[in-house]
Amino acid sequence: MQRLNSGLVANLNIPRFTYDRASVLPGIVHIGIGAFHRAHQAFYTETVMNQSGGNWGIIGCSLRSPSVQQQLAPQDGLYTVLERGNSNRPQIVGAVQKVLVGPDDPAAIIQAIAAPTIKIISLTITEKGYCHEPARGTLNLDHPDIQHDIRHPDRPKTAPGFIVAGLRQRWKNGLPPVSVMSCDNLPNSGAVTRAVVTSLAETIDPELAQWIRDNVSFPGTMIDRIVPATTEQDIQWLENEYGYRDEGLVVAEPFTQWVIEDDFCSERPAWENAGALLVKDVAHYETMKLRLLNGSHSLLAYSGYLASYATIYQVMQDADFVALTRRFMTTAATTFSAPDNFDVAAYQQQLIDRFANPGLQHKTWQIAMDGSQKVPQRWLNSLRGVIAQNGDTRIFAFALAAWIRFVRGVDEKGESIIVSDPHAANFATIWQEHGKDYDAVVKAFFAQHSIFGSDFQENLLIQQQTADWLRNIANNGVKKALRDLLGN
Ligand code: CS2
């Protein structure tokens, strides 16, 4: 089967780039070139170049594995975005020019950031890539990789380390600053990125830190598109339908949204022409999306996985879980103010419909990863709001119990669960030490300050409720516990 590449693309009867790829200069260095970036920001950038050209080629960087480079290099950077909903719509994207791999050649990434044509560094490095304390939003200076980057600033491992090294090079060379744009599911994404980058720069060179503070901007964004990990089955499907093999294929839902804080110290693509919303303040959008979409996602991931559902689509075929999602969103929606003129009720219904998209194989296990990095902004901030209003906290206690039960690492049939989380070892120790004493388990979880802050340790009511749900789930199974929660 023929592999996608520049030669083959002309023979394919599929929508593709309309600009002259060979003459485009790189304008963006993107760190974390996974499926999400390729289906989202790269796709918007592609649309802008299809509309009006521009030097917005993307240099992708992977800080851990070479797999995306191995997928895209033989394909000249080309890949397909396959939209799956009521119909299937493929499009071949040309925006990515090459992929660099951090551990193989850190200097190449630093040089790429320091290239004169680069205007933007963008990031999709997942929550843990910021090496911060999720409960506080500040750099974790004890993080082993940050320690490494402080000792070896010229061959960093972390995203903050590469950004500082690249900016340092630009500063030394007298080049203009670039905008550093976070596209991860973080609250105050711009401010958190600014905080981790400037804190790290401070430890390396205070004058550089000052230059960054004075010159570099850190626009925050709210990004949204459901992009499950691509499977071999997806690749086979494309091969059968369209007659070519694309190892870099990404599958995404039709829905897409991007709200960007208009705070660029450099030129940027006219993303608004591709449907992005440029706003003065992105916070309301970020909060709403994190608490409703991502909050529901994590709830469905833990409780759905325990109920033996492999995908979010499957979970949404169970009426009890749909009722759970609706109730969760209704409660969470009382804790924030929506963006101006925004119909939050319609947004909630749209989320239910999006989760139920039968074309997406979005694994509950995939969303369940890295709970320690996600729970604070997805649940705990809403829970604080509900507590402040003397509202009904039980649904959050149920969610926390499902998460704590999940990270025990054994499912309801006794099969082991692979727990992928930077805190997985802590969680395992807590379970080993406290076994069936669910009150003690919950107490030990709530004492993890980098996740829970310090307020939940003192909240005996929430601890009690969470321990009760944990007991209920352990004794009766998650489905029965859910029916108790719903009053069925
Ligand atoms: C998901 C997100 O994996 C997860 O934790 O909640 O990746 C989600 O699919 C996106 O934020 C949707 O925009």
Side-chain angles (χ1 to χ4, degrees):
M1 182 58 63
Q2 305 188 82
R3 182 94 177 256
L4 177 62
N5 62 34
S6 310
L8 182 73
V9 78
N11 306 328
L12 298 173
N13 188 18
I14 292 184
R16 62 165 186 276
F17 49 94
T18 52
Y19 52 90
D20 173 20
R21 240 190 132 213
S23 67
V24 174
L25 298 173
I28 299 173
V29 171
H30 183 81
I31 306 183
I33 179 117
F36 182 72
H37 171 72
R38 282 178 282 148
H40 193 277
Q41 305 97 57
F43 198 75
Y44 280 79
T45 304
E46 177 81 350
T47 306
V48 172
M49 290 200 284
N50 278 337
Q51 289 166 344
S52 52
N55 286 313
W56 296 113
I58 298 171
I59 306 291
C61 307
S62 299
L63 298 192
R64 283 196 295 255
S65 118
S67 58
V68 177
Q69 188 192 54
Q70 286 158 3
Q71 289 158 6
L72 295 192
Q75 302 186 175
D76 306 313
L78 297 175
Y79 65 90
T80 315
V81 174
L82 175 62
E83 230 177 73
R84 277 218 175 118
N86 292 332
S87 56
N88 296 298
R89 289 187 39 215
Q91 177 177 329
I92 294 172
V93 174
V96 176
Q97 302 191 324
K98 75 173 152 193
V99 179
L100 306 172
V101 180
D104 292 354
D105 191 357
I109 296 184
I110 299 170
Q111 267 162 28
I113 295 175
T117 63
I118 296 299
K119 311 282 190 308
I120 291 168
I121 307 174
S122 54
L123 308 170
T124 48
I125 50 179
T126 80
E127 296 84 349
K128 63 176 178 277
Y130 292 80
C131 306
H132 68 313
E133 299 267 356
R136 281 188 282 273
T138 49
L139 183 67
N140 175 6
L141 283 164
D142 296 330
H143 192 297
D145 291 345
I146 291 293
Q147 285 287 323
H148 169 277
D149 290 1
I150 294 172
R151 284 196 304 274
H152 308 287
D154 295 329
R155 43 188 176 89
K157 285 186 177 173
T158 70
F162 277 106
I163 297 168
V164 169
L167 291 176
R168 186 182 188 201
Q169 203 59 52
R170 293 188 77 89
W171 173 56
K172 279 191 180 160
N173 296 352
L175 287 168
V178 289
S179 307
V180 180
M181 179 176 67
S182 161
C183 298
D184 281 294
N185 287 316
L186 290 179
N188 306 314
S189 53
V192 169
T193 312
R194 177 192 296 275
V196 296
V197 169
T198 48
S199 304
L200 183 60
E202 195 68 53
T203 67
I204 291 167
D205 184 341
E207 272 185 56
L208 167 66
Q210 195 54 46
W211 181 81
I212 294 175
R213 270 189 219 102
D214 293 344
N215 294 283
V216 175
S217 69
F218 293 85
T221 66
M222 180 271 241
I223 37 93
D224 190 7
R225 189 169 205 184
I226 295 176
V227 186
T230 309
T231 62
E232 176 56 30
Q233 224 184 347
D234 297 324
I235 296 175
Q236 284 290 338
W237 183 90
L238 189 83
E239 216 173 287
N240 295 341
E241 292 291 313
Y242 293 94
Y244 68 98
R245 184 158 178 93
D246 180 356
E247 298 280 352
L249 170 69
V250 290
V251 178
E253 64 172 337
F255 179 91
T256 172
Q257 188 178 20
W258 196 8
V259 186
I260 308 170
E261 185 189 354
D262 200 355
D263 178 24
F264 287 79
C265 64
S266 54
E267 242 182 285
R268 61 165 177 81
W271 284 312
E272 61 274 35
N273 295 341
L277 193 61
L278 273 293
V279 298
K280 260 178 82 180
D281 184 1
V282 78
H284 290 308
Y285 287 95
E286 266 180 353
T287 308
M288 178 182 72
K289 191 244 170 182
L290 282 168
R291 295 192 190 181
L292 297 185
L293 188 160
N294 300 110
S296 306
H297 245 178
S298 290
L299 171 65
L300 295 174
Y302 299 119
S303 54
Y305 185 99
L306 292 173
S308 298
Y309 294 126
T311 68
I312 293 293
Y313 165 74
Q314 286 171 4
V315 179
M316 296 307 280
Q317 301 312 295
D318 182 327
D320 285 341
F321 281 89
V322 176
L324 173 72
T325 315
R326 287 193 193 282
R327 190 179 296 181
F328 174 84
M329 289 202 273
T330 311
T331 314
T334 61
T335 66
F336 59 85
S337 27
D340 286 344
N341 304 319
F342 199 90
D343 185 344
V344 185
Y347 181 72
Q348 290 176 40
Q349 181 54 47
Q350 191 182 37
L351 288 177
I352 300 271
D353 297 339
R354 288 171 61 195
F355 293 162
N357 181 342
L360 298 180
Q361 300 287 313
H362 202 186
K363 299 265 190 319
T364 44
W365 184 86
Q366 187 189 347
I367 300 167
M369 275 168 39
D370 293 340
S372 64
Q373 314 292 303
K374 295 174 174 175
V375 160
Q377 60 273 20
R378 295 182 180 204
W379 298 345
L380 298 181
N381 288 343
S382 309
L383 176 53
R384 289 186 175 100
V386 174
I387 292 169
Q389 305 160 29
N390 286 321
D392 185 355
T393 51
R394 291 187 339 137
I395 199 158
F396 289 94
F398 175 86
L400 286 167
W403 170 54
I404 293 172
R405 174 66 188 78
F406 175 92
V407 298
R408 180 178 186 175
V410 189
D411 71 11
E412 294 191 346
K413 294 187 201 114
E415 308 273 331
S416 62
I417 303 174
I418 298 170
V419 179
S420 175
D421 192 300
H423 285 252
N426 290 351
F427 299 157
T429 309
I430 293 176
W431 273 107
Q432 261 156 27
E433 277 176 10
H434 301 290
K436 282 197 173 141
D437 183 350
Y438 298 119
D439 296 286
V441 169
V442 170
K443 195 165 175 224
F445 267 84
F446 281 30
Q448 311 267 317
H449 286 194
S450 75
I451 304 170
F452 284 89
S454 49
D455 45 341
F456 285 104
Q457 208 173 358
E458 281 139 39
N459 194 320
L460 299 182
L461 174 69
I462 306 295
Q463 279 187 48
Q464 186 62 53
Q465 283 181 345
T466 307
D468 286 346
W469 283 119
L470 194 54
R471 226 179 324 272
N472 192 334
I473 293 172
N475 293 340
N476 307 314
V478 73
K479 284 197 181 192
K480 169 75 175 62
L482 171 56
R483 282 196 292 278
D484 288 346
L485 175 73
L486 296 172
N488 295 343

